Amino acid sequence: MYMIQHERNVWAPIIRWRHLKFCTIRKAVVLIMVIPNWDGIRGTNLILFLGIDAFIGVNIGTALSDMPSPIQVVALLKAQNIRHVRLYDADRAMLHALANTGIRVTVSVPNEQLLGIGQSNATAANWVARNVIAHVPATNITAIAVGSEILTTLPNAAPVLVSALKFIHSALVASNLDGQIKVSTPQSSSIILDSFPPSQAFFNRSWDPVMVPLLKFLQSTRSYFMLNVYPYYDYMQSNGVIPLDYALFRPLPPNKEAVDANTLLHYTNVFDAIVDAAYFSMSYLNFTNIPIFVTESGWPSKGDSSEPDATLDNANTYNSNLIRHVLNNSGTPKHPGIVVSTYIYELYNEDSRPGPVSEKNWGLFDANSMPIYTLHLTGAGTLLSNDTTNQTFCVAKESADPKMLQAALDWACGPGKVDCTFLLQGQPCYEPNNVVAHSTYAFNAYFQKMAKSPGTCDFKGVATITTSDPSHGSCIFPGSSGRNGSFPNTTSLAPSSNSSTSGCHSVYFYGQTMFPVVYNVKWFCCTYSCGPFGQNCVSRMTFRGSFI
């Protein structure tokens, strides 16, 4: 359901449509629509939540005795088609390595810098200048996480937390980057008291002097509530009350599901219950329209004798099920269909972290970029296949309509900017001279060029992914035998069938009407230049907004 919102927080459905289309930019499907005349929303701030697809990102910690170089880190991200990352700082070398990759980056203000930034607008402006402005637009910074779990780990800094967020945001406004980059602060789920049933949950009231202005800031800046969700700890601390299967997303019989007696909502996993507890906690403070991003979630693969459930199998089960759950766009029982994009904790095992054995073993990979375990994923495309030796290719479906194949081939060799000279007569891949063979080469060249990104092997349903190398004779396909495609920063995206497996990402599209009367206002997807369409779009309206 697509909704618009008044400033008075009254939700109202868009009840008449004149026109409805989809357009595709990068990996986001956006509605292009004409809003009918509606006097009640003239001059109003609009929020349009398009629950298209969630994304999975990863956190990158650096407490390794042999930390890979930034170039090696980015190579792993590309190989695993990881398109969203969160850094715990704003390391210059890492941000340079991420430049021109298109990977969406959340940078962080470390806890130890929070007090200075929260007490000085000038210090905040200098931080933004050094760590953000110096790197955009080449590095695709989309969010700033100010501190981490401040209320529970650094409570003496809590009084200046919201000031720090406001100072950082003001610096972004001054540089006209506030539409592109959101500002928020990750919170531990432990600030939620009485988290089950979720409908009775509320934030620790002692933090109301911080939480209320924080939520006002997030609402006014169209940002999102960052939450760290760790069912592992909830399970460990429940003294057997929480079943392991419930924590790991394993299927439960209906009589084993947790039911909120107040709402009669059924909960099949701890993750959803915690997220909904946060939604209810915000509504208890009269904030009902702030989306949640889970900035950390995972499961350790190894523990000491007091952590018997920190195992490879459980870590694999949790993260595999988490990825499937997030990417199926089901949302939560309280907000079905409202996606909850999530960052997995974490990319690498951090062997230098202090504490119990489990603290060193949350990673998907070791320092040599070898997988700790191979995730059991279906329906996630090539995202986090975490088999670094795996080769995948994009091929044409032999049963596809030849006319559709020809149209897709023309697109790949034209707007898709694939080098199709290998298909010319006398070149290695000319034979067999038929549309299926030529389309297979072009589709795969595009797929490899886009680093196998989700949604780039679709071509309106006439292409599919395979692990069989389609090379033949002297025709060596890109991605075969170490011949890998590049990872360009390009806005061209292959035609998609808009299926649930297209790899599109969740979009929260924010805008403000700039017209004296809202009548037949056209909303276009304008976050990136997209050729003539993008130019036409910009010429028709003033746009301030972002893809998160």
Side-chain angles (χ1 to χ4, degrees):
M1 179 180 293
Y2 301 93
M3 312 285 281
I4 63 176
Q5 184 191 30
H6 281 235
E7 289 178 324
R8 297 186 299 273
N9 293 327
V10 178
W11 289 95
I14 297 172
I15 55 176
R16 287 193 297 119
W17 300 93
R18 280 281 304 279
H19 193 52
L20 180 65
K21 286 186 178 180
F22 286 95
C23 75
T24 308
I25 290 184
R26 286 192 180 272
K27 291 181 300 230
V29 176
V30 182
L31 283 173
I32 308 171
M33 62 188 173
V34 179
I35 301 178
N37 185 13
W38 192 352
D39 292 337
I41 64 172
R42 186 172 67 180
T44 295
N45 287 331
L46 302 180
I47 302 176
L48 183 59
F49 292 95
L50 302 185
I52 305 300
D53 269 349
F55 66 76
I56 287 287
V58 294
N59 290 277
I60 304 177
T62 57
L64 285 76
S65 57
D66 186 20
M67 179 68 195
S69 70
I71 293 175
Q72 291 172 318
V73 174
V74 172
L76 178 61
L77 297 176
K78 291 179 180 180
Q80 296 300 310
N81 287 294
I82 296 169
R83 306 290 292 157
H84 295 77
V85 298
R86 175 185 171 217
L87 309 181
Y88 287 95
D89 51 22
D91 181 76
R92 182 182 299 271
M94 182 63 72
L95 291 174
H96 278 307
L98 287 163
N100 302 312
T101 64
I103 295 172
R104 296 171 184 260
V105 182
T106 295
V107 296
S108 299
V109 174
N111 285 1
E112 59 269 22
Q113 297 179 25
L114 182 67
L115 281 171
I117 288 174
Q119 295 175 23
S120 169
N121 204 343
T123 301
N126 288 335
W127 191 94
V128 170
R130 292 194 315 270
N131 299 300
V132 177
I133 297 172
H135 298 282
V136 296
T139 302
N140 191 14
I141 298 174
T142 57
I144 300 173
V146 180
S148 180
E149 301 187 348
I150 292 298
L151 301 186
T152 52
T153 63
L154 196 64
N156 65 306
V160 301
L161 176 60
V162 177
S163 294
L165 269 71
K166 289 180 177 179
F167 290 159
I168 292 286
H169 182 258
S170 295
L172 294 175
V173 171
S175 299
N176 199 30
L177 291 172
D178 56 305
Q180 172 186 337
I181 302 172
K182 297 300 174 185
V183 182
S184 187
T185 179
Q187 300 293 340
S188 166
S189 62
S190 65
I191 66 171
I192 303 171
L193 301 183
D194 294 336
S195 59
F196 201 90
S199 63
Q200 293 182 190
F202 57 94
F203 294 125
N204 187 326
R205 297 304 302 272
S206 66
W207 290 121
D208 279 5
V210 177
M211 289 302 300
V212 172
L214 169 62
L215 295 174
K216 285 183 178 178
F217 169 82
L218 298 179
Q219 185 178 62
S220 66
T221 60
R222 313 293 195 235
S223 190
Y224 37 88
F225 188 78
M226 291 180 169
L227 184 67
N228 294 343
V229 178
Y230 284 104
Y232 172 74
Y233 290 125
D234 290 274
Y235 164 74
M236 290 288 290
Q237 297 164 9
S238 72
N239 296 318
V241 173
I242 295 178
L244 181 61
D245 287 348
Y246 183 56
L248 294 173
F249 293 94
R250 284 177 176 151
L252 298 172
N255 64 332
K256 296 292 185 181
E257 294 177 358
V259 180
D260 187 325
N262 299 313
T263 61
L264 300 182
L265 294 174
H266 287 238
Y267 288 88
T268 61
N269 60 81
V270 175
F271 181 90
D272 281 352
I274 296 174
V275 172
D276 271 359
Y279 276 127
F280 278 107
S281 296
M282 286 192 286
S283 66
Y284 187 83
L285 296 175
N286 296 316
F287 295 90
T288 58
N289 58 354
I290 300 173
I292 290 176
F293 269 36
V294 173
T295 36
E296 293 180 14
S297 194
W299 197 282
S301 60
K302 186 179 180 180
D304 56 31
S305 58
S306 66
E307 302 171 300
D309 294 298
T311 66
L312 283 171
D313 183 61
N314 286 344
N316 193 343
T317 299
Y318 180 82
N319 281 323
S320 295
N321 287 339
L322 171 67
I323 293 169
R324 276 194 293 266
H325 182 69
V326 169
L327 294 184
N328 72 12
N329 305 308
S330 59
T332 64
K334 177 173 171 56
H335 290 302
I338 302 299
V339 300
V340 184
S341 293
T342 299
Y343 292 81
I344 292 177
Y345 185 82
E346 58 184 331
L347 186 62
Y348 295 111
N349 274 346
E350 293 185 276
D351 63 324
S352 297
R353 284 187 66 86
V357 172
S358 62
E359 280 298 304
K360 309 173 191 294
N361 290 280
W362 290 82
L364 299 172
F365 297 89
D366 64 18
N368 296 314
S369 297
M370 296 301 294
I372 305 299
Y373 46 84
T374 301
L375 292 164
H376 302 312
L377 297 177
T378 57
T382 56
L383 170 70
L384 273 174
S385 60
N386 82 332
D387 174 1
T388 54
T389 65
N390 182 47
Q391 288 185 318
T392 53
F393 304 88
C394 182
V395 299
K397 295 179 180 178
E398 294 189 2
S399 59
D401 183 335
K403 292 182 179 179
M404 292 186 66
L405 282 176
Q406 185 63 56
L409 173 62
D410 294 342
W411 184 92
C413 295
K417 300 180 181 179
V418 166
D419 181 3
C420 291
T421 57
F422 290 91
L423 300 175
L424 298 176
Q425 188 169 5
Q427 296 301 311
C429 299
Y430 175 73
E431 296 290 349
N433 181 21
N434 60 64
V435 70
V436 172
H438 284 195
S439 296
T440 289
Y441 181 88
F443 293 174
N444 180 70
Y446 181 82
F447 181 59
Q448 304 294 335
K449 171 184 173 183
M450 298 300 291
K452 308 179 186 179
S453 300
T456 57
C457 182
D458 184 86
F459 294 92
K460 294 190 176 180
V462 298
T464 188
I465 292 174
T466 180
T467 56
S468 300
D469 189 343
S471 301
H472 53 89
S474 60
C475 178
I476 307 301
F477 275 50
S480 173
S481 302
R483 182 179 163 194
N484 296 316
S486 61
F487 202 72
N489 185 18
T490 172
T491 58
S492 298
L493 188 70
S496 168
S497 61
N498 281 327
S499 68
S500 61
T501 58
S502 65
C504 300
H505 287 179
S506 176
V507 180
Y508 297 89
F509 186 95
Y510 307 125
Q512 183 174 17
T513 61
M514 302 294 179
F515 303 90
V517 178
V518 178
Y519 179 70
N520 288 352
V521 178
K522 293 185 178 181
W523 289 83
F524 292 88
C525 37
C526 298
T527 190
Y528 291 104
S529 173
C530 46
F533 182 84
Q535 294 159 7
N536 291 341
C537 169
V538 172
S539 70
R540 290 176 182 168
M541 66 176 290
T542 301
F543 173 80
R544 294 183 66 217
S546 70
F547 286 127
I548 296 175

